[in-house]
């Protein structure tokens, strides 16, 4: 019953989208009427027979259409087995049992397609989240155009409480954007305009506070957005395309059950044909042999097995999509459910990805505020990202008034910067810069530096005139949610959590200790990370790697499951990762792994239920110990149980 041709249900929707379900119900209604006429009234037999025949027509309609498309190709699947069983039941006069078989089978069929549609609904809804038109600013005038007509560098006006029509950056206005349709974030995010639009970096590298995505919802303020991606290349369009490809990527269990089904169905048909002639060997009538053969046919059909894995996989993927996580197919879903080791990239994954001022330590005659003023004035004149980060943090922390007392800033490659402050020389940089400038770095200062370095800080010395007057330290700080996330991962069974970083080993060790990692490997080049992944796979068989999907592409490609964070807006991350967390939130990781484990558990339960029923029923029916009605009830009941069990994943919540 898995992977049915969906065109059947489009071309034959006589009573609308729920035609199949209505036909299954009508099959049951006429079965019940026929049973009542036969058992509780004295009406003629042809009346109950007519009711059963009508029941057959409704119950067998969709099944016959699907079977008839495959038989000419030499494909004999479960639909064929069910039609054969129902026809056989009619031949031996067991019309009620045959109608019951078709009722339960068609109901299971309808439930299966309902489960699939429900599972796809949240995914397919992505196609409807983008507006169809955009308000565009051209030649000083506003005009409404279709989103397909938008071009790169067009400026669109987004009114309050309306959907954004394209991926781009805000160039005028500030607002709060609801990004839930794309990233799954429950809380709206504050966004503001970008001041300089010349020489923009790649879309994925632009500060997220300026970036907006098609399909997200603007808040209470009007904004102007510069279009940076065409509609076909927008994040939401790429998501839709990838989700449509997900179904083709079958899980290992799914592939195994398909192989099993390919051999199993012909064997069942052969056994049933042989059982039809059992009367030639044992003392029984031809009708008894036929009855047993048909009962075995019902009992042996692997309906529940066929739907057990795809229904669970699709439900799991759909639930992930609701939370802003794209899982690319059943293989990624199943593999992730078996992971006990996770390797993490450091920068931007476990940490904020931005250096932050952590210490400002005055020495000699300088107090903290005087040192802060000196450093701010000097660093503000530098274009170096580290200098800009220090200056911004000093402004926020000390609320200093700017007086333009610094001048003549000169960057010295690999060492730091030199400038003048109140007419005197200032140096901000490493020990080598100080020594080359004839400034003494005594043991007390070196001891303070070493202490900070051991704890993962990057340290710079500040010299004024000819003396060192202070130390500054910066650090890429751990994400606020990193510690709680890693603790949660440990609780759900992740035994090894390793950080792979190009930073100094001291930096890795400090962060690992702070947030609760089991191990940190520092000083790694991209090729070293690949070797580290190889060693982890050799030790633990299957591992996941979490990164940005760009800088660590070789290592992520080698891992069993690659997980990209903040994939919204990153084409490379969406293309290369097996699992994409659309938001930049590491706290979604325990949910995804928990969901994968629940999916794996439900797949195992479904296979156990479906195979268990077949293993139990087949010997009993071959020995003639049960009738076709009991076989039908157990067999089709197991299919319905399996579908309902899979649907539980749509309500999954991590405990």
């Amino acid at each position: 019953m898995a992977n049915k041709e969906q065109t059947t249900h489009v071309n034959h929707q006589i009573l609308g989208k729920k035609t199949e379900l209505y036909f299954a119900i009508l099959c049951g209604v006429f079965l019940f009427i026929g049973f009542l006429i036969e058992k509780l009234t004295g009406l003629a037999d042809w009346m109950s027979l007519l009711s059963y025949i009508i029941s057959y027509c409704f119950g067998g309609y969709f099944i016959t259409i699907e079977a008839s498309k495959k038989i000419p190709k030499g494909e004999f699947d479960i639909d064929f087995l069910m039609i054969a069983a129902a026809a056989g039941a009619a031949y031996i006069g067991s019309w009620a049992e045959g109608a019951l078989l078709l009722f339960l089978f068609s109901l299971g069929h309808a439930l299966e397609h309902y489960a699939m549609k429900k599972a796809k609904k949240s995914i397919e809804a992505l196609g409807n989240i983008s507006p169809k038109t955009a308000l565009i600013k051209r030649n000083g005038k506003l005009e409404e155009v279709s989103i397909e007509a938008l071009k790169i560098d067009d400026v669109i006006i987004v009114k309050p409480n309306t959907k954004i029509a394209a991926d781009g950056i805000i160039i005028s206005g500030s607002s709060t954007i609801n990004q839930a349709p794309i990233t799954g974030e429950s809380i709206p995010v504050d966004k503001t305009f970008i001041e300089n639009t010349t020489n923009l970096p790649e879309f994925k590298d632009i500060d997220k506070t300026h970036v907006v995505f098609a399909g997200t919802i603007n808040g209470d303020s009007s904004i102007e957005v510069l279009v940076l991606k065409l509609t076909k290349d927008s994040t939401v369009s790429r998501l839709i395309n990838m989700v449509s490809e997900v179904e083709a990527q079958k899980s290992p269990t799914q592939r195994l059950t398909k192989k099993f089904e390919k051999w199993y169905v012909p064997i069942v048909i052969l056994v049933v044909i042989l059982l039809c002639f059992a009367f030639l060997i044992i003392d029984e009538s031809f009708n008894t042999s036929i009855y047993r053969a048909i009962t075995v046919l019902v009992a042996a059909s692997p309906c529940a097995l066929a739907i057990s894995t795809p229904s669970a996989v699709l439900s799991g993927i759909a639930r992930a999509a609701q939370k802003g996580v794209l899982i690319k197919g059943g293989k990624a879903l199943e593999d992730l459910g078996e992971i006990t080791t996770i390797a993490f990239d450091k920068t931007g994954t476990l940490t904020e990805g931005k250096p932050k001022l952590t210490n400002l330590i005055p020495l000699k005659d300088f107090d903290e505020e005087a040192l802060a003023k000196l450093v701010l004035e000097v660093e503000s004149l530098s274009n170096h990202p580290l200098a800009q980060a220090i200056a911004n943090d000093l402004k926020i922390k000390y609320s200093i008034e700017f007086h333009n007392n610094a001048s003549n800033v000169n960057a010295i490659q690999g060492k730091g910067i030199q400038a003048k402050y109140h007419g005197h020389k200032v140096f901000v940089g490493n020990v080598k810069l100080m020594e080359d400038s004839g400034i003494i770095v005594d043991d007390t200062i070196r001891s303070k530096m070493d202490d900070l370095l051991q704890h993962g800080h990057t340290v710079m010395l500040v010299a004024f005139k000819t003396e060192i007057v202070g130390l500054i330290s910066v650090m890429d700080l751990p994400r606020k949610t990193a510690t709680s996330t890693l603790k949660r991962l440990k609780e759900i069974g992740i035994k090894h959590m390793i950080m792979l970083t190009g930073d100094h080993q001291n930096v890795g060790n400090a962060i690992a200790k702070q947030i609760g990692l089991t191990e940190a490997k520092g000083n790694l080049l991209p090729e070293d990370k690949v070797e580290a992944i190889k060693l982890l796979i050799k030790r633990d068989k299957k591992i996941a790697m979490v990164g940005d999907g760009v800088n660590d592409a070789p290592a992520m490609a080698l891992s069993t499951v690659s997980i990209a964070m903040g994939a919204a807006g990153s084409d490379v991350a969406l293309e290369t990762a097996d699992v994409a967390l659309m938001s930049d939130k590491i706290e979604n990781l325990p949910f995804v792994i928990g969901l994968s484990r629940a999916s794996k558990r439900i797949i195992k339960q479904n296979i156990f239920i479906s195979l268990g029923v077949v293993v139990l029923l087949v010997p009993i029916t071959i020995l003639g110990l049960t009738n076709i009605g009991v076989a039908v009830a157990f067999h089709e009941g197991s299919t319905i149980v399996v579908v309902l069990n899979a649907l539980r994943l749509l309500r999954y919540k991590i405990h």
Side-chain angles (χ1 to χ4, degrees), residues 570-584:
S570 172
D571 296 343
V572 179
L574 281 173
E575 291 285 358
T576 57
D578 299 311
V579 177
L581 307 182
M582 302 309 291
S583 70
D584 202 26

Side-chain angles (χ1 to χ4, degrees), residues 619-639:
I620 292 173
T621 50
I622 288 175
L623 295 171
L625 299 177
T626 188
N627 61 39
I628 193 170
V630 172
V632 165
F634 267 89
H635 182 268
E636 295 308 322
S638 68
T639 303

Side-chain angles (χ1 to χ4, degrees), residues 391-456:
N392 288 337
D393 286 351
L394 285 170
K395 280 180 196 172
I396 293 165
K397 188 173 179 181
Y398 293 96
S399 303
I400 305 168
E401 205 172 306
F402 205 83
H403 292 296
N404 293 323
N405 291 316
S407 60
N408 300 345
V409 169
N410 181 30
I412 301 164
Q413 189 65 37
K415 297 176 185 176
I417 58 173
Q418 176 186 329
K420 285 201 170 180
Y421 181 68
H422 288 297
H424 299 287
K425 282 187 178 180
V426 174
F427 300 92
V428 181
N430 57 22
V431 172
K432 187 87 174 83
L433 175 66
M434 301 302 156
E435 289 176 342
D436 290 352
S437 306
I439 297 167
I440 297 167
V441 184
D442 62 33
D443 291 343
T444 307
I445 293 169
R446 287 179 188 270
S447 174
K448 287 179 185 292
M449 283 186 71
D450 289 343
D451 185 49
L452 289 168
L453 288 168
Q454 288 296 323
H455 288 88

Side-chain angles (χ1 to χ4, degrees), residues 77-89 101 264-273 275-276 289-303 614 617-618 621-622 628 631-632 635-636:
D77 66 357
I78 297 153
D79 294 311
F80 172 77
L81 295 185
M82 289 298 100
I83 293 295
L101 168 65
Y264 180 77
V265 171
I267 291 168
V268 168
I269 293 169
L270 182 63
V271 169
V272 167
I273 291 169
L275 284 171
C276 289
S289 294
I290 289 287
Y291 186 88
R292 181 193 289 111
I294 291 162
T295 308
V296 170
L297 182 59
V298 172
S301 298
C303 306
V614 170
L617 281 181
V618 170
T621 50
I622 288 175
I628 193 170
V632 165
H635 182 268
E636 295 308 322

